Amino acid sequence: MKMSQQQILVIEDDAALRTEIIEFLVRRRHRPTGCGTLAEATAALEIMIPDAVLSDINLPDGDGVNFCMHNAPRFPATMWLLMSGNDDLVRLGGQLKGIGGAKPTFAIVEKPVPLRLLDRFIAGIGSAPPSVIEPVMAVATAATAA
């Protein structure tokens, strides 16, 4: 299992929260790239292959769920952690699970995401999901694998 130097894309429009997540990942010796919009994230994906993407669901220029489903086929080994401060996590999880075909490895968690939970999610990169994700994401409402 890879434990460090993961390339992680962080998509969060709240600058303070984005900075906190990025600083946490740097302390853990990962290589985060922070974006405040989906447009910035799309540009970042043109020059990187992320091991994981941590994305807010509600962003100023779109929906993190659609972004995940649109980009996941390009990055089949990437794990996706979708974060929401809203109460509609079950609906969003159902939306992702209901889409036919191959699905990305993903989990949906309520914000603020505890940093210990985030650390355990990142530690699961490269492991066989969902057996790794489901126990780790005890607060997640949905987890599945391709």
Side-chain angles (χ1 to χ4, degrees), residues 1-3 6 51-52 77 79 105 117-129 132-133 136-137:
M1 178 182 346
K2 300 181 212 176
M3 292 299 286
Q6 301 299 326
D51 295 295
M79 292 174 58
T105 300
L117 182 80
L118 179 59
D119 196 36
R120 291 171 64 192
F121 176 81
I122 300 301
I125 293 172
S127 298
V132 170
I133 293 177
V136 171
M137 297 291 137

Side-chain angles (χ1 to χ4, degrees), residues 9 26 31-32 38 41 43 60 66 79 119 124 126 130 132 136-137 141 143-144:
L9 180 60
V26 168
R31 294 173 296 159
L38 293 177
N66 290 327
M79 292 174 58
D119 196 36
V132 170
V136 171
M137 297 291 137
T141 58
T144 191

